[in-house]
C-alpha cells in the first residue's frame, strides 16, 4: 500500500523535530500503560519526538499523545479505565466482543481524530487477515485504524475497512519499529511490554490459550523488529495480567523507572551525528543494558 505521513506542526505542545527520536510502542493490553511512564520522562526532559508508531494499546496511547492531548488528561483517563469502557461482549462467529466503544474513548481523550491534524506524525499498524501482511495507516480518520490495531484475535471481532478484514497489529509487528522508519525516523526508541502473563500455570480460559499462542509466535519474530531499533526498553510489567486495568499506576511507574534509567543513553542517541543502529548489534546491546529486571 502507499504510505503517506503527515508533517509535524509548528504549534505542537510536545517537543518535536527532525533530530528527535521516533517512538515505537508495542501491544500488551493493560501492560501498555507503561508507555505513559516513558512518555512522561521524555516530556519532562524535553526529549524531542519526531514521530510515533503504535501497535494495539500502543496505537491508542501513542496517537492520543500525538494528537496534542495533555499527558495529564491521558494519565487520568487510563487510571480509571476498565474493559467496559472500550469493549462490549457480543459473541459471534468472529469473536467474543467488539471494540466499538473505543470511538467514545477516543472522542473523549484525543484532540483530533485525523492523521493530518496530528501534532506529531503517527503510524498505526494492523494485520490483514486475508494476506497476513501488515497494514500501516498514516492518513485519514484514525478511529477505525486504532480499532483494527486493537482487535486481538479470538477476543475481538476483526474490523472491516474497505474490502479488508483487519486484526491486531501485534500479530505482524509486536513493536512497530519498521513503521517508525517508514515515517522517517532516524533514531528509534522501542518500548516492549509483551503479552506473556508471567505465570507458568496451565491456561485457565480460552483467551489465555490464544494469548500464549500469539506470544510464542512473537518470541520468534523479535529479530524482525529489534533490528530497526536503536534502543529497546522493557518495563518490568510481567506480573500484570492483560486485564489488570486497575493496576495502571504500577505499569506507569514501571515505564518511568526504565526510561529514567535509560535517560542518559536516550540523550546521547539524540546528540549522535548519525543513527547508531548502523552499527552491528547496537540495539541488542541497548536492550540488555536498559531492560527492567523482573521483580
Amino acid at each position: 500500500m502507499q504510505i503517506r505521513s503527515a508533517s509535524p506542526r509548528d504549534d505542537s505542545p510536545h517537543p518535536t523535530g527532525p533530530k528527535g527520536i521516533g517512538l515505537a510502542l508495542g501491544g500488551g493490553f493493560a501492560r501498555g500503560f507503561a508507555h505513559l511512564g516513558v512518555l512522561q520522562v521524555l516530556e519532562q526532559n524535553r526529549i524531542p519526538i519526531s514521530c510515533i508508531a503504535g501497535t494495539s494499546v500502543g496505537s491508542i496511547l501513542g496517537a492520543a499523545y500525538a494528537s496534542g492531548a495533555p499527558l495529564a488528561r491521558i494519565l487520568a483517563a487510563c487510571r480509571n479505565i476498565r474493559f467496559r469502557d472500550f469493549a462490549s461482549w457480543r459473541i459471534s462467529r468472529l469473536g467474543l466482543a467488539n471494540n466499538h466503544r473505543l470511538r467514545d474513548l477516543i472522542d473523549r481523550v484525543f484532540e483530533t481524530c485525523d492523521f493530518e491534524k496530528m501534532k506529531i506524525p503517527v503510524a498505526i499498524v494492523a494485520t490483514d487477515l486475508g494476506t497476513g501482511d501488515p497494514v500501516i495507516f498514516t492518513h485519514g480518520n484514525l478511529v477505525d485504524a486504532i480499532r483494527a490495531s486493537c482487535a486481538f484475535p479470538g477476543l475481538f471481532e476483526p474490523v472491516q475497512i474497505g474490502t479488508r478484514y483487519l486484526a491486531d497489529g501485534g500479530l505482524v509487528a509486536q513493536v512497530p519499529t519498521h513503521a517508525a522508519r517508514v515515517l522517517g525516523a532516524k533514531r528509534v526508541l522501542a518500548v516492549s511490554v509483551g503479552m506473556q502473563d508471567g505465570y507458568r500455570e496451565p491456561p485457565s480460559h480460552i483467551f489465555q490459550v490464544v494469548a500464549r499462542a500469539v506470544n510464542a509466535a512473537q518470541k520468534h519474530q523479535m529479530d524482525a523488529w529489534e533490528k530497526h531499533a536503536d534502543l529497546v526498553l522493557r518495563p518490568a510489567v510481567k506480573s500484570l495480567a492483560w486485564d489488570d486495568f486497575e493496576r495502571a499506576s504500577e505499569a506507569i511507574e514501571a515505564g518511568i523507572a526504565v526510561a529514567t534509567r535509560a535517560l542518559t543513553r536516550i540523550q546521547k542517541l539524540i546528540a549522535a551525528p548519525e543513527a547508531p543502529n548502523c552499527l552491528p548489534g547496537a540495539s541488542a546491546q541497548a536492550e540488555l543494558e536498559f531492560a527492567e529486571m523482573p521483580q
Side-chain angles (χ1 to χ4, degrees):
M1 65 175 292
Q2 183 177 3
I3 303 297
R4 180 167 63 89
S5 61
S7 299
R9 293 168 61 99
D10 294 335
D11 59 346
S12 172
H14 309 308
T16 65
K19 291 196 67 176
I21 55 173
L23 292 182
L25 307 180
F29 283 89
R31 290 178 170 191
F33 293 139
H35 295 318
L36 296 177
V38 174
L39 286 168
Q40 181 171 312
V41 172
L42 298 181
E43 184 175 289
Q44 289 175 341
N45 290 276
R46 301 294 298 174
I47 302 297
I49 299 173
S50 62
C51 61
I52 300 176
T55 286
S56 197
V57 66
S59 73
I60 303 173
L61 302 179
Y65 188 78
S67 76
L71 186 56
R73 181 200 300 169
I74 305 171
L75 286 165
C78 289
R79 286 193 171 104
N80 294 295
I81 200 170
R82 297 294 183 267
F83 184 81
R84 63 179 177 272
D85 294 318
F86 60 85
S88 57
W89 296 109
R90 190 185 75 173
I91 298 176
S92 73
R93 292 180 301 158
L94 301 179
L96 302 176
N98 66 54
N99 59 15
H100 288 291
R101 291 179 181 174
L102 265 176
R103 184 180 302 275
D104 295 332
L105 179 66
I106 291 170
D107 287 340
R108 187 169 72 250
V109 177
F110 286 38
E111 286 292 296
T112 179
C113 294
D114 294 319
F115 280 98
E116 286 80 5
K117 295 180 180 178
M118 289 280 133
K119 307 297 184 181
I120 302 171
V122 170
I124 293 173
V125 182
T127 302
D128 186 330
L129 292 178
T131 64
D133 294 328
V135 178
I136 303 176
F137 293 94
T138 60
H139 64 280
N141 186 285
L142 57 73
V143 174
D144 284 342
I146 290 176
R147 288 186 55 235
S149 185
C150 296
F152 193 81
L155 177 60
F156 293 118
E157 298 169 341
V159 175
Q160 184 177 4
I161 299 180
T163 60
R164 299 181 176 191
Y165 283 85
L166 305 174
D168 197 297
L171 299 173
V172 290
Q174 179 185 1
V175 183
T177 52
H178 178 258
R181 296 290 184 189
V182 168
L183 283 178
K186 302 301 182 184
R187 299 164 177 83
V188 174
L189 173 64
V191 185
S192 174
V193 295
M195 267 300 302
Q196 183 57 265
D197 55 23
Y199 299 102
R200 298 297 183 184
E201 293 82 3
S204 58
H205 51 75
I206 188 172
F207 182 73
Q208 282 189 349
V209 173
V210 175
R212 293 185 187 186
V214 170
N215 182 76
Q218 289 176 336
K219 286 176 65 175
H220 299 284
Q221 298 175 3
M222 289 171 58
D223 289 346
W225 64 262
E226 285 182 348
K227 68 182 180 181
H228 295 292
D230 298 299
L231 184 61
V232 179
L233 304 185
R234 297 183 186 276
V237 290
K238 284 189 176 181
S239 65
L240 273 68
W242 73 275
D243 57 349
D244 276 338
F245 299 108
E246 70 280 1
R247 298 174 64 186
S249 292
E250 294 178 49
I252 293 167
E253 288 301 319
I256 291 173
V258 72
T260 299
R261 285 166 53 177
L263 184 58
T264 299
R265 180 60 182 267
I266 295 171
Q267 292 169 331
K268 290 180 179 178
L269 196 63
I270 297 171
E274 62 177 297
N277 75 325
C278 61
L279 303 175
S283 63
Q285 293 167 3
E287 175 196 338
L288 290 173
E289 185 174 356
F290 294 113
E292 276 282 317
M293 300 302 294
Q295 299 298 314

